[in-house]
Amino acid sequence: MPSIDSPRPDDPRVRAARTKRFRTRRALLDAADVAFASHGWANARMEDIASAAGVSAATAYNHFPSKHALLGHVYSPLIQPLRLEAERDIAAGRPMVDALRDQVKALTRITFRYRPLTAAFWSAVQDYTIRVGGPADPSDDIDPRTLAPIPASIQVLVEHGQDSGELRRFPSPHEVGSLIVNMLLIRSINRPHEQPAVTCEMLLTVMFGMLRPELLADAGVDGRPFRDLI
């Protein structure tokens, strides 16, 4: 039970401390966004990010215990709307082919628009995967794969589509989501001059070649049903 002298939640001192913490966190995220996009994963230092945010390195680590965690929090807001959209599409009973097509289009636009930040995030994911030697653990709150689960929206749509009979049951939602996202990240980084529409068409062709191959068969030998979607 709190002491009678403990500050109440609506105490001005509590509100001031909360506001200060929020502003510090926001300053660190903004500084990190610029640093990772400008200098990449390896060359963006926590100390420099803290300095740009106007705080000490100790304060930065108090808010974000590692560079992996910081980058995960920077990238997360870019993909959160995709998961919400996937949940809305399922709730509305939208056809999963249409929902997945729009998800891949949106994700492709994001990764190409924020290409330098995406490259930094992909490097962080690879580094952390090597460190832990395995897949993401949902309870690991500093794993960038957990903080910004890029494949999640695709996985939940594929799972629903397979359960409803709209999509083939193989491969698994996890395999589909991981494969499509890995292809997207690699192409967005390694092909800087490629148009997003080209990458999007490739991803959709691969994904529906696994899950709805009749879409490609019905388009004919030279058909390209996912051309020019972006």
Side-chain angles (χ1 to χ4, degrees):
M1 183 175 182
S3 165
I4 193 172
D5 296 325
S6 299
R8 294 165 55 88
D10 58 349
D11 186 290
R13 293 171 296 174
V14 174
R15 293 201 304 271
R18 188 184 303 121
T19 298
K20 180 180 179 181
R21 181 171 180 82
F22 172 81
R23 288 176 177 171
T24 298
R25 183 181 179 87
R26 184 69 264 163
L28 285 166
L29 289 170
D30 290 343
D33 192 337
V34 173
F36 286 123
S38 300
H39 306 299
W41 164 251
N43 295 322
R45 301 171 63 245
M46 285 287 281
E47 293 76 9
D48 296 333
I49 293 170
S51 177
V55 299
S56 67
T59 296
Y61 280 111
N62 182 50
H63 284 264
F64 303 100
S66 73
K67 196 166 73 164
H68 297 93
L70 178 55
L71 183 48
H73 281 284
V74 169
Y75 207 84
S76 178
L78 297 179
I79 64 168
Q80 285 176 350
L82 300 182
R83 182 60 184 267
L84 295 176
E85 185 62 28
E87 293 171 353
R88 285 193 292 265
D89 284 343
I90 290 173
R94 192 176 184 214
M96 288 300 99
V97 170
D98 294 342
L100 281 165
R101 183 190 60 218
D102 287 351
Q103 279 285 328
V104 173
K105 286 168 54 180
L107 191 53
T108 302
R109 285 195 296 264
I110 289 170
T111 55
F112 275 79
R113 180 179 180 183
Y114 300 97
R115 190 194 303 268
L117 186 62
T118 296
F121 179 79
W122 182 232
S123 297
V125 165
Q126 291 179 305
D127 182 71
Y128 201 84
T129 302
I130 293 171
R131 289 193 183 197
V132 301
D137 180 352
S139 65
D140 187 348
D141 59 3
I142 66 172
D143 188 337
R145 298 171 296 176
T146 300
L147 294 168
I150 300 179
S153 58
I154 293 177
Q155 290 169 352
V156 70
L157 290 173
V158 170
E159 181 177 13
H160 182 80
Q162 291 178 334
D163 289 343
S164 67
E166 296 175 73
L167 305 173
R168 293 179 69 248
R169 290 191 173 276
F170 181 83
S172 70
H174 175 77
E175 293 290 350
V176 174
S178 298
L179 174 63
I180 295 304
V181 168
N182 286 344
M183 285 182 61
L184 172 58
L185 294 176
I186 290 172
R187 290 178 74 95
S188 68
I189 294 167
N190 292 342
R191 302 187 179 206
H193 303 298
E194 182 169 274
Q195 293 298 312
V198 175
T199 292
C200 184
E201 181 185 8
M202 181 65 67
L203 296 175
L204 290 170
T205 301
V206 170
M207 182 170 66
F208 287 117
M210 295 184 289
L211 300 174
R212 283 287 295 271
E214 63 270 24
L215 293 177
L216 303 181
D218 291 345
V221 176
D222 299 319
R224 295 171 59 179
F226 308 112
R227 176 187 282 183
D228 300 330
L229 287 179
I230 293 183

